[in-house]
Amino acid sequence: MEDLEHAVQNVRDLAARRRGRIRVAAPPLLSSVILPQAIAAFHNEYPGITIELIDKGTEEIVASVVAGNADCGLGTFSPTDEGIERTLLMRDNLMLFCPEGHPLLAHPAVSWSDLHDLPLIALTRTSGIRLLVDVAAEAAQLSMKPAFEVSLITTALALVEAGLGVSVLPTYALTAARHYAVSATVLGDPVVSRDVVMIHASGRSTSPAVNSFSAIVRSYAQKLTPLRNVKVDASASQPAHGRM
């Protein structure tokens, strides 16, 4: 009877968000720009619940969530990924990152056609961001030959800072960009957006703790989205609360 009462109390504690553990999987950059402040805020509200952060690649995130090795995952995922359900956190625009003082930053608006003949610092073709860049460039009838192809957004930003080219990166790269002498502006004609989502395994109910954590992450994620067609100085683009 004591064991049964203890088990019932554990369930009540979990339902009341007094204790438990959440395992969240996310790619490295999102792990560093969104989750730290969100986790801190969650711990302040629910100190008895432990967050276990697993930073890994997008394909591994989906596999971990489907297999039950992670309770939820964060990122951008292909519509063809199966076995997961999605909760929208933010809509992310592709932005142009340039060295400080670049002539394009003086334009009232920047379009894809303005990138003609500029050296491009691109992510590798294994990146979903690169796929969006290629599709948008084709739609704008723009032939883009990368000067460099790199795997990490931080490497792309360092190359931009060195004046070796410009780069098209997602909005959340603004947070990493504060460490570099670069500025950014939203690209138009076309504006390219993608959804950053929280995922969990299909057919499994999410715990109250995961639902509360998802709401907090969403509030922090949405602070990263600037207004369209508004020039953003990356060094001053961080949200005032917590400087995410």
Side-chain angles (χ1 to χ4, degrees):
M1 289 297 295
E2 289 179 357
D3 288 343
L4 178 59
E5 289 175 359
H6 182 67
V8 169
Q9 185 59 47
N10 284 347
V11 172
R12 288 173 177 167
D13 286 346
L14 289 171
R17 305 171 183 85
R18 286 194 291 265
R19 58 179 297 187
R21 179 182 68 167
I22 300 173
R23 296 164 298 178
V24 55
L29 187 59
L30 283 178
S31 294
S32 65
V33 302
I34 294 178
L35 289 181
Q37 295 294 331
I39 290 173
F42 184 82
H43 278 165
N44 286 337
E45 192 164 351
Y46 307 105
I49 298 178
T50 300
I51 302 290
E52 180 181 331
L53 179 57
I54 310 165
D55 56 344
K56 52 178 55 182
T58 299
E59 292 183 0
E60 295 176 281
I61 293 171
V62 174
S64 295
V65 170
V66 171
N69 297 322
D71 299 300
C72 56
L74 181 69
T76 58
F77 306 96
S78 169
T80 60
D81 286 332
E82 298 180 348
I84 57 174
E85 296 182 15
R86 299 163 172 81
T87 299
L88 179 64
L89 298 176
M90 63 177 284
R91 179 147 290 174
D92 182 59
N93 294 327
L94 291 187
M95 303 186 72
L96 178 67
F97 288 75
C98 306
E100 289 185 350
H102 194 281
L104 278 181
L105 297 172
H107 291 196
V110 178
S111 66
W112 287 84
S113 60
D114 293 322
L115 307 187
H116 181 68
D117 289 337
L118 290 180
L120 178 70
I121 314 298
L123 299 181
T124 60
R125 294 185 182 277
T126 58
S127 166
I129 297 169
R130 173 63 181 277
L131 176 61
L132 290 176
V133 170
D134 289 346
V135 169
E138 183 177 352
Q141 299 181 339
L142 180 66
S143 177
M144 301 180 70
K145 295 182 179 179
F148 295 90
E149 292 182 307
V150 297
S151 299
L152 299 178
I153 286 176
T154 49
T155 305
L157 290 170
L159 293 171
V160 171
E161 180 185 45
L164 296 172
V166 300
S167 190
V168 179
L169 300 170
T171 301
Y172 59 75
L174 287 168
T175 302
R178 71 179 185 267
H179 301 296
Y180 302 88
V182 301
S183 295
T185 186
V186 176
L187 277 169
D189 297 323
V191 172
V192 180
S193 300
R194 61 185 195 148
D195 292 339
V196 178
V197 300
M198 182 82 80
I199 63 170
H200 67 273
S202 299
R204 298 179 197 160
S205 60
T206 57
S207 69
V210 170
N211 290 336
S212 296
F213 180 65
S214 177
I216 290 175
V217 173
R218 184 173 185 268
S219 70
Y220 277 87
Q222 291 183 344
K223 295 177 183 178
L224 297 178
T225 307
L227 297 174
R228 290 185 177 183
N229 301 325
V230 174
K231 200 164 286 118
V232 179
D233 180 358
S235 64
S237 63
Q238 311 312 311
H241 181 71
R243 285 192 64 81
M244 277 195 332

